[in-house]
Amino acid sequence: MVLGLRLHSALYPSWGLACLLPRSFASCPGKSDSCLTMPQLGLLHRRAWASLLGQLRRPPGAVCIRVVHSHSQVAEATLTSQLKPHQEKSNFIIKTPKGTRDLSPQQMVVREKILDMVVSCFKRHGAKGLDTPAFELKEMLTEKYGEDSMLIYDLKDQGGELLSLRYDLTVPFARYLAMNKVKKMKRYHVGKVWRRESPTIVQGRYREFCQCDFDIAGQFDPMIPDAECLKIMCEILSGLQLGDFLIKVNDRRILDGIFAVCGIPESKFHAICSSIDKLDKMSWKDVRHEMVAKKGLAPEVADRIGDYVQCHGGVSLVEQMFQDSELSQNQHALEGLRDLKLLFEYLTLFGVAEKISFDLSLARGLDYYTGVIYEAVLLQTSARAGEEPLNVGSVAAGGRYDGLVGMFDPKGHKVPCVGLSIGVERIFSIVEQRMKNVGEKIRTTETEVFVATPQKNFLQERLKLIAELWDAGIKAELMYKNNPKLLTQLRYCENMGIPLMVIIGEQELKEGVIKLRSVASREEVAIKRENLVAEIQKRLSES
Amino acid sequence: MVLGLRLHSALYPSWGLACLLPRSFASCPGKSDSCLTMPQLGLLHRRAWASLLGQLRRPPGAVCIRVVHSHSQVAEATLTSQLKPHQEKSNFIIKTPKGTRDLSPQQMVVREKILDMVVSCFKRHGAKGLDTPAFELKEMLTEKYGEDSMLIYDLKDQGGELLSLRYDLTVPFARYLAMNKVKKMKRYHVGKVWRRESPTIVQGRYREFCQCDFDIAGQFDPMIPDAECLKIMCEILSGLQLGDFLIKVNDRRILDGIFAVCGIPESKFHAICSSIDKLDKMSWKDVRHEMVAKKGLAPEVADRIGDYVQCHGGVSLVEQMFQDSELSQNQHALEGLRDLKLLFEYLTLFGVAEKISFDLSLARGLDYYTGVIYEAVLLQTSARAGEEPLNVGSVAAGGRYDGLVGMFDPKGHKVPCVGLSIGVERIFSIVEQRMKNVGEKIRTTETEVFVATPQKNFLQERLKLIAELWDAGIKAELMYKNNPKLLTQLRYCENMGIPLMVIIGEQELKEGVIKLRSVASREEVAIKRENLVAEIQKRLSES
């Protein structure tokens, strides 16, 4: 089953090539035992592979080739065949991986505006920056995410450590705290995370996306940091002008209490929690069915759960729960209710209580939460004229995770933590859509001055002039042409929104001046060369 | 060889566990055929595994376990055993993956300063931002990096596309241009790239590192964009005050011409190029030996090469090469020399020619360069008193790659490109070392005001006050304690370098004032509550 291939190529003179068909091939239809030799294959070119694959009538899927270097070094290359059986295509498709995308300059401008706003809020609350690697030792991520662990991207075992791409920024933060024995820290982290989500990209869901996290680690008096996290979420969501929003709040201990009171065995807590978490996408009827049919709950137990988890309200609901004769006997629930009451008190002082809803259906998927949990949702306002309504669901979430750091500590020492994560991809979709709807034009460069000439053979003077501007810190561009047309240069400034133009020609050179033109007003004035930088800086500071 | 395990755990109630030993285990010493059952294993805890591994006398290496979900879903988890045979250790080591690191808040401040400076230079030259995913389809990266392809991180095949972490920002940029049929673009990109470099972390070399790239794509008049790239490198290296530096410049076409003139067969061009690239680390004698003994060059051919590649100088060397009777007959070399002459002319106009050295030994490793290439090195100044000299080698590099975009285009349409990449990790090491040497203290937060109280039971008033400050955009912190001591609060401000303190107590509350204290001067004044925000803003704008 080994294809012997030799390469005679200028690019890979000393490389021999042996193609090993993948093990799975043995069980594929259309397999061939014949040994192909292609002594003049030349470059390891995709078309050659397509032809080779065609000869083998290879079914779609992956083909592994092993390239053996003559100096006993080995490299492996793997190609995904784009070929369908009986439907061969010799061009390969240029694309980004499924669930990922490039951000164009226009999108980058929007993204940067949003991130600046988020980070400045984190800094306003005294957070320090932190960065962690994109991948972690695989074992650092195990046992942290429950059923979601299946969505973790693993790296190929290429010798050495087994690695996985980070799934969130929270677990690396906890790992950092444990590793450096840090007992107290307020940090923010903006970075990409990766999740092998189901292929449908809807509602701004990607497999690679950016998270903005803020967390407070340390042993403090109850609910003060927790309240600050909710205040931060309010400041960011208000600041980004995303329309009306609501933050649902609950507590894992209250949920545990409810489950216990309803008679659910402790072993089923997590499974029921994950069913309840679906209440924002599924009706109570469907969730009830799942709990009864799939998770083996007695119908009457499910109904008792239903009575609870369909409740939501403000601080009055907390009071109401305190009156619940059964729930108030449960130690866990009681602790959760007391903390929520205190939380509402602090949120009132922060002036954001009216944005918060105590919602017993909020469960949050991740395993590591231990106390208060929250999730911010945008409220659908009546769609404005011409504006497509965009359903984005949750845009920020978080909670308390007092046990996570202890999972990393050899002695199990705990560091209580509470934090939040802003889902900027979703916010980004909204802001982008809004800008499209209003037809807002985005400048993708910050260029302030364009260096132009109306004459031929003035490249040298333009280069000298632009270097002066750059050295003075002025953002400047010119055409990379020996003899550009003046009209082309003017149009470029107008298209790119460059406010100022400096023009140099023979006349100006003779008189020791430069023409300074305002692109918008088309006014031109001649300015002494030695005063040019100062004049430009004056104009820019005025605008 | 299957270990039957059942889990009875609160966390994984519905999960059964089957442990499959890895295939490689069969050939390991100390293997055991016995079937272990651990009905009460409980959590999939690392210590339990350690014990299991101990019973099996597993040699060091990876153990794969397969966790089978009862709902027919399958997840895989892999643990790297930290166990050495006969030297078992039940604690696992918390660390970042080999060749990677966290950036602490102190490091983040330094990093951000450097990146801000670099990006502002890119923007000064009219570049647009762009972002691409951390991974690409594996086939996008093949055939681009020559021998360095072995350093690419592949992702595990978890079904779907075969992916690799990006190796640089240049190939994704070329992929973006081809995919979107962009013919002209000036973009910058700051992002992480990943390379499985040899384990020794010296000279600021990491497996994950940040690159800052600036590239100009498009068909323009010769050497104008190329000269701008070199000007940018000078601006950045001067701006960061890294000491004296030099930019070596060469042209792939001149190297090709030299090789042809010396009688090297074209098939060996790349191999000889990669030998010459080592001249900055190896002596000419050793490089010559490699070319003769390993790459099969005749000794007299190697000596002819030696005569050329040991030359370096300014524009006069370009003139000297023009006089070379053989080289000036070679079309490739002639084009390269003409372009270099023009480049030096433009660099003189930009005022940076004295930083540039025409160095025939510069070859650059990557396959995709087609014309001018360059590399910036810091010059070792005599180490200042108490300062450890830090050898960092190349800190920025780049060149022209006119064929790369065409490799992605189905019809092979070319888009000429030239660009540069700043190696910020290395620059970062230098700046960090310099700050350590001078004992510079770095503020890791930007907090402007601390809200304090000298009295007990004043949390509510503090919370109300700090919310006012936050809502006015003032960066503020308080202690997360119900009753903090005033001295603790004062010390915190001093340690963290927070300039202002606002103090509220019973007396102030009664009089409707707040005490505003300058932490440095210890001066305190009482200010009417309604004027507080304005007064703080005034003080901050003055400082």
Side-chain angles (χ1 to χ4, degrees):
Chain A
M1 267 321 236
V2 173
L3 304 180
L5 298 176
R6 287 202 70 77
L7 283 177
H8 298 281
S9 129
L11 264 179
Y12 297 94
S14 59
W15 289 56
L17 176 75
C19 169
L20 303 171
L21 288 178
R23 218 163 301 117
S24 64
F25 184 75
S27 61
C28 287
K31 66 171 172 158
S32 158
D33 281 314
S34 65
C35 181
L36 293 188
T37 35
M38 298 181 71
Q40 295 297 330
L41 181 65
L43 271 180
L44 193 65
H45 192 278
R46 210 160 177 316
R47 302 223 181 137
W49 276 106
S51 136
L52 172 62
L53 296 175
Q55 286 182 59
L56 290 174
R57 277 162 292 152
R58 248 309 262 125
V63 177
C64 294
I65 54 161
R66 189 172 284 263
V67 182
V68 186
H69 194 275
S70 61
H71 299 306
S72 78
Q73 286 166 311
V74 175
E76 264 184 64
T78 315
L79 295 172
T80 304
S81 165
Q82 303 287 350
L83 301 175
K84 299 257 158 66
H86 314 296
Q87 185 207 329
E88 288 158 25
K89 199 162 161 276
S90 65
N91 290 335
F92 70 124
I93 297 160
I94 326 171
K95 63 187 279 294
T96 59
K98 192 151 92 179
T100 69
R101 58 171 173 173
D102 298 316
L103 291 183
S104 72
Q106 284 78 10
Q107 292 172 317
M108 283 297 282
V109 173
V110 180
R111 158 77 53 115
E112 267 177 33
K113 249 188 214 170
I114 294 171
L115 291 187
D116 280 354
M117 199 270 161
V118 170
V119 169
S120 75
C121 177
F122 292 162
K123 287 186 175 173
R124 189 158 64 239
H125 287 263
K128 304 171 178 184
L130 182 71
D131 190 46
T132 69
F135 42 72
E136 294 277 341
L137 295 183
K138 186 173 168 54
E139 59 191 289
M140 296 296 159
L141 305 191
T142 47
E143 298 171 50
K144 309 296 186 305
Y145 301 107
E147 293 180 18
D148 285 353
S149 296
M150 275 173 259
L151 304 181
I152 294 174
Y153 275 100
D154 291 331
L155 268 69
K156 190 171 154 188
D157 184 358
Q158 294 170 291
E161 299 160 333
L162 295 173
L163 307 170
S164 301
L165 295 183
R166 65 184 175 209
Y167 179 87
D168 63 10
L169 303 176
T170 311
V171 169
F173 174 54
R175 192 263 308 142
Y176 175 85
L177 293 176
M179 186 173 129
N180 297 286
K181 305 205 185 322
V182 176
K183 299 285 175 216
K184 204 191 270 192
M185 185 176 195
K186 186 153 62 173
R187 83 89 178 79
Y188 75 92
H189 188 177
V190 174
K192 286 180 175 179
V193 301
W194 296 272
R195 299 181 185 180
R196 297 174 54 247
E197 298 274 6
S198 62
T200 44
I201 301 169
V202 285
Q203 307 187 354
R205 273 215 180 201
Y206 290 93
R207 289 183 163 200
E208 173 184 78
F209 57 96
C210 178
Q211 283 198 329
C212 302
D213 278 31
F214 173 98
D215 293 80
I216 300 172
Q219 185 70 56
F220 301 112
D221 282 332
M223 305 320 280
I224 313 177
D226 313 59
E228 183 169 3
C229 287
L230 287 163
K231 168 79 171 132
I232 288 175
M233 276 166 67
C234 288
E235 283 181 26
I236 289 173
L237 295 178
S238 308
L240 290 170
Q241 297 174 293
L242 301 170
D244 208 8
F245 63 90
L246 187 74
I247 303 179
K248 299 179 195 171
V249 173
N250 197 1
D251 194 295
R252 274 279 168 91
R253 292 165 297 175
I254 298 175
L255 277 177
D256 285 355
I258 290 173
F259 294 166
V261 161
C262 295
I264 298 174
E266 216 178 307
S267 63
K268 285 190 178 165
F269 277 15
H270 268 75
I272 297 306
C273 216
S274 102
S275 291
I276 286 168
D277 195 44
K278 294 171 187 161
L279 269 174
D280 56 340
K281 292 164 216 120
M282 280 160 67
S283 69
W284 163 247
K285 208 180 131 200
D286 292 341
V287 169
R288 185 186 179 279
H289 176 78
E290 180 180 301
M291 295 198 300
V292 174
K294 288 194 191 156
K295 312 227 164 151
L297 229 55
E300 59 277 13
V301 173
D303 288 334
R304 291 200 62 189
I305 294 279
D307 291 342
Y308 279 111
V309 299
Q310 290 180 87
C311 292
H312 50 88
V315 69
S316 61
L317 181 60
V318 181
E319 294 299 343
Q320 189 186 317
M321 288 293 143
F322 269 122
Q323 307 309 318
D324 185 301
S325 57
E326 279 183 288
L327 204 57
S328 58
Q329 297 304 307
N330 181 289
Q331 196 52 40
H332 287 296
L334 212 53
E335 282 171 21
L337 287 169
R338 276 185 198 141
D339 275 352
L340 272 199
K341 196 180 163 189
L342 198 57
L343 180 68
F344 268 102
E345 190 188 316
Y346 295 161
L347 293 171
T348 306
L349 294 165
F350 282 161
V352 294
E354 81 283 1
K355 291 287 182 197
I356 316 292
S357 162
F358 176 30
D359 190 324
L360 283 164
S361 75
L362 179 71
R364 302 282 303 136
L366 299 176
D367 269 6
Y368 50 64
Y369 290 118
T370 54
V372 62
I373 47 179
Y374 33 80
E375 191 171 291
V377 290
L378 298 183
L379 300 177
Q380 289 293 329
T381 47
S382 57
R384 276 172 249 168
E387 217 173 279
E388 252 178 80
L390 198 70
N391 184 3
V392 290
S394 149
V395 288
R400 179 162 280 283
Y401 49 102
D402 288 347
L404 189 56
V405 178
M407 287 178 82
F408 290 109
D409 190 278
K411 288 176 185 164
H413 287 312
K414 288 187 176 182
V415 178
C417 294
V418 64
L420 65 97
S421 184
I422 308 282
V424 274
E425 286 333 303
R426 299 179 189 188
I427 291 173
F428 178 67
S429 304
I430 302 166
V431 176
E432 203 185 8
Q433 187 64 48
R434 192 174 60 197
M435 287 172 116
K436 259 185 206 158
N437 289 338
V438 301
E440 193 175 327
K441 212 190 162 188
I442 300 167
R443 270 201 81 183
T444 53
T445 67
E446 299 178 6
T447 308
E448 298 159 333
V449 180
F450 189 89
V451 175
T453 185
Q455 268 153 331
K456 286 201 170 180
N457 301 321
F458 253 71
L459 177 62
Q460 295 206 346
E461 287 304 325
R462 282 191 290 142
L463 293 180
K464 254 163 66 183
L465 183 54
I466 200 166
E468 273 177 49
L469 301 182
W470 286 332
D471 292 342
I474 293 165
K475 295 168 187 159
E477 281 188 83
L478 48 64
M479 297 251 118
Y480 301 127
K481 294 262 172 203
N482 289 317
N483 300 310
K485 287 180 186 152
L486 188 62
L487 194 63
T488 316
Q489 299 172 78
L490 277 165
R491 281 212 188 117
Y492 180 81
C493 291
E494 282 168 358
N495 289 339
M496 298 300 292
I498 300 171
L500 295 174
M501 208 168 173
V502 294
I503 303 168
I504 185 164
E506 248 172 86
Q507 190 64 28
E508 287 82 15
L509 197 60
K510 219 181 285 168
E511 296 172 11
V513 297
I514 305 281
K515 247 188 231 157
L516 181 62
R517 179 186 171 109
S518 156
V519 175
S521 72
R522 300 182 181 188
E523 276 169 61
E524 283 184 6
V525 283
I527 288 169
K528 274 195 186 161
R529 174 98 181 216
E530 59 267 32
N531 300 335
L532 182 66
V533 164
E535 174 64 23
I536 290 172
Q537 280 164 340
K538 189 172 146 266
R539 291 224 194 169
L540 292 172
S541 68
E542 283 164 4
S543 65
Chain B
M1 265 323 230
V2 174
L3 304 181
L5 298 176
R6 287 203 70 76
L7 282 178
H8 297 281
S9 129
L11 266 178
Y12 296 94
S14 58
W15 289 56
L17 176 75
C19 168
L20 303 172
L21 287 178
R23 219 162 300 116
S24 64
F25 184 76
S27 63
C28 287
K31 66 172 173 159
S32 159
D33 280 313
S34 64
C35 183
L36 292 188
T37 35
M38 298 178 71
Q40 293 297 330
L41 184 64
L43 273 179
L44 194 65
H45 192 278
R46 214 163 172 315
R47 302 224 181 135
W49 276 106
S51 136
L52 172 61
L53 295 175
Q55 286 182 61
L56 289 174
R57 275 161 294 149
R58 248 308 261 125
V63 178
C64 295
I65 54 160
R66 190 171 283 263
V67 182
V68 187
H69 193 275
S70 62
H71 297 307
S72 78
Q73 286 167 311
V74 174
E76 266 185 63
T78 314
L79 294 173
T80 304
S81 164
Q82 304 287 350
L83 301 174
K84 299 255 160 65
H86 313 297
Q87 186 207 329
E88 286 157 26
K89 199 164 158 276
S90 66
N91 291 333
F92 69 123
I93 296 160
I94 325 170
K95 63 187 280 295
T96 60
K98 192 152 89 178
T100 70
R101 58 170 173 175
D102 299 316
L103 291 183
S104 71
Q106 283 79 8
Q107 292 173 318
M108 283 297 282
V109 173
V110 180
R111 157 78 51 113
E112 266 176 34
K113 247 188 214 171
I114 294 171
L115 291 186
D116 280 354
M117 198 271 160
V118 170
V119 169
S120 76
C121 177
F122 292 161
K123 287 186 173 171
R124 188 159 64 238
H125 287 263
K128 304 171 178 183
L130 182 71
D131 190 47
T132 68
F135 43 72
E136 295 277 339
L137 295 183
K138 186 174 170 52
E139 58 191 290
M140 296 296 158
L141 304 191
T142 47
E143 296 172 51
K144 307 299 185 305
Y145 300 108
E147 294 179 17
D148 284 354
S149 297
M150 275 171 261
L151 304 182
I152 293 174
Y153 275 101
D154 292 332
L155 268 69
K156 190 172 155 187
D157 184 358
Q158 292 170 292
E161 300 161 332
L162 294 173
L163 308 170
S164 301
L165 294 184
R166 67 185 173 207
Y167 180 86
D168 62 12
L169 304 175
T170 311
V171 168
F173 175 53
R175 193 263 308 143
Y176 175 86
L177 294 174
M179 186 174 130
N180 298 286
K181 305 203 187 322
V182 176
K183 299 285 177 216
K184 206 190 269 189
M185 185 176 196
K186 186 153 62 174
R187 82 91 179 77
Y188 75 91
H189 187 177
V190 174
K192 286 180 176 179
V193 301
W194 296 271
R195 299 181 185 180
R196 297 174 53 249
E197 300 274 6
S198 63
T200 46
I201 300 168
V202 283
Q203 307 186 353
R205 273 213 179 203
Y206 290 93
R207 288 182 163 199
E208 171 183 82
F209 57 96
C210 177
Q211 284 198 328
C212 301
D213 278 30
F214 173 98
D215 293 80
I216 301 172
Q219 186 71 57
F220 302 112
D221 283 331
M223 306 319 282
I224 313 178
D226 314 59
E228 184 168 2
C229 287
L230 287 164
K231 167 78 171 136
I232 287 174
M233 277 166 66
C234 288
E235 283 180 26
I236 289 173
L237 295 179
S238 307
L240 290 171
Q241 297 175 293
L242 301 170
D244 208 9
F245 62 90
L246 187 75
I247 304 179
K248 299 179 194 172
V249 172
N250 197 3
D251 194 295
R252 273 280 167 92
R253 291 164 299 174
I254 299 175
L255 277 177
D256 285 355
I258 291 172
F259 294 165
V261 160
C262 295
I264 298 174
E266 215 177 307
S267 63
K268 286 190 177 164
F269 277 15
H270 267 77
I272 297 305
C273 216
S274 100
S275 291
I276 286 168
D277 195 44
K278 295 171 187 161
L279 270 175
D280 57 340
K281 289 164 219 120
M282 279 158 68
S283 70
W284 163 246
K285 208 181 130 201
D286 292 340
V287 169
R288 184 184 179 281
H289 177 77
E290 180 179 303
M291 296 199 299
V292 174
K294 287 195 191 156
K295 313 231 164 147
L297 230 55
E300 59 278 13
V301 172
D303 288 334
R304 290 201 60 188
I305 295 278
D307 291 342
Y308 280 111
V309 299
Q310 290 179 86
C311 293
H312 50 88
V315 68
S316 61
L317 182 59
V318 181
E319 294 300 342
Q320 189 188 317
M321 289 292 140
F322 269 122
Q323 307 310 318
D324 183 300
S325 56
E326 280 184 290
L327 204 58
S328 58
Q329 298 302 307
N330 182 288
Q331 197 51 41
H332 288 295
L334 212 53
E335 282 171 21
L337 287 169
R338 275 183 198 140
D339 275 352
L340 272 200
K341 196 181 161 188
L342 197 58
L343 179 68
F344 268 102
E345 191 187 317
Y346 296 161
L347 293 172
T348 306
L349 292 165
F350 282 161
V352 294
E354 80 283 1
K355 291 288 182 196
I356 317 292
S357 162
F358 176 31
D359 191 323
L360 283 164
S361 74
L362 180 70
R364 303 281 305 135
L366 298 175
D367 270 6
Y368 50 64
Y369 290 118
T370 55
V372 62
I373 46 179
Y374 32 81
E375 191 171 291
V377 290
L378 297 184
L379 301 177
Q380 288 294 329
T381 47
S382 56
R384 277 173 248 168
E387 217 173 277
E388 252 179 79
L390 197 71
N391 185 3
V392 291
S394 150
V395 289
R400 180 160 278 284
Y401 50 100
D402 288 348
L404 189 57
V405 178
M407 286 177 81
F408 289 110
D409 190 277
K411 287 173 185 163
H413 288 312
K414 288 186 176 180
V415 177
C417 292
V418 65
L420 65 97
S421 185
I422 308 281
V424 273
E425 290 325 310
R426 298 177 192 193
I427 291 173
F428 177 68
S429 303
I430 302 166
V431 176
E432 205 186 7
Q433 187 65 50
R434 194 174 59 198
M435 288 172 113
K436 258 185 209 162
N437 289 338
V438 299
E440 195 175 325
K441 212 192 161 184
I442 300 166
R443 269 202 80 182
T444 53
T445 68
E446 299 179 7
T447 308
E448 298 159 333
V449 180
F450 189 88
V451 176
T453 185
Q455 266 152 332
K456 286 201 171 178
N457 301 319
F458 253 71
L459 177 62
Q460 294 205 347
E461 286 305 324
R462 282 191 290 142
L463 293 179
K464 254 162 70 183
L465 182 55
I466 199 166
E468 272 176 49
L469 300 182
W470 287 332
D471 291 342
I474 294 166
K475 295 167 187 158
E477 281 186 84
L478 49 63
M479 298 251 119
Y480 300 129
K481 294 263 172 202
N482 289 316
N483 299 311
K485 287 181 186 151
L486 187 61
L487 194 63
T488 316
Q489 301 173 76
L490 277 165
R491 282 213 187 116
Y492 181 81
C493 292
E494 283 168 357
N495 289 339
M496 298 300 291
I498 301 171
L500 296 174
M501 210 168 171
V502 295
I503 304 167
I504 185 164
E506 247 172 86
Q507 190 64 26
E508 287 81 14
L509 197 62
K510 219 181 285 172
E511 296 172 9
V513 297
I514 305 282
K515 247 189 233 157
L516 181 61
R517 179 187 171 108
S518 157
V519 175
S521 72
R522 301 184 177 185
E523 276 169 61
E524 284 184 6
V525 283
I527 288 169
K528 274 197 185 161
R529 173 100 181 213
E530 59 267 33
N531 300 336
L532 182 67
V533 164
E535 175 63 24
I536 290 172
Q537 281 164 340
K538 188 172 147 265
R539 292 226 194 166
L540 292 173
S541 68
E542 283 164 2
S543 64

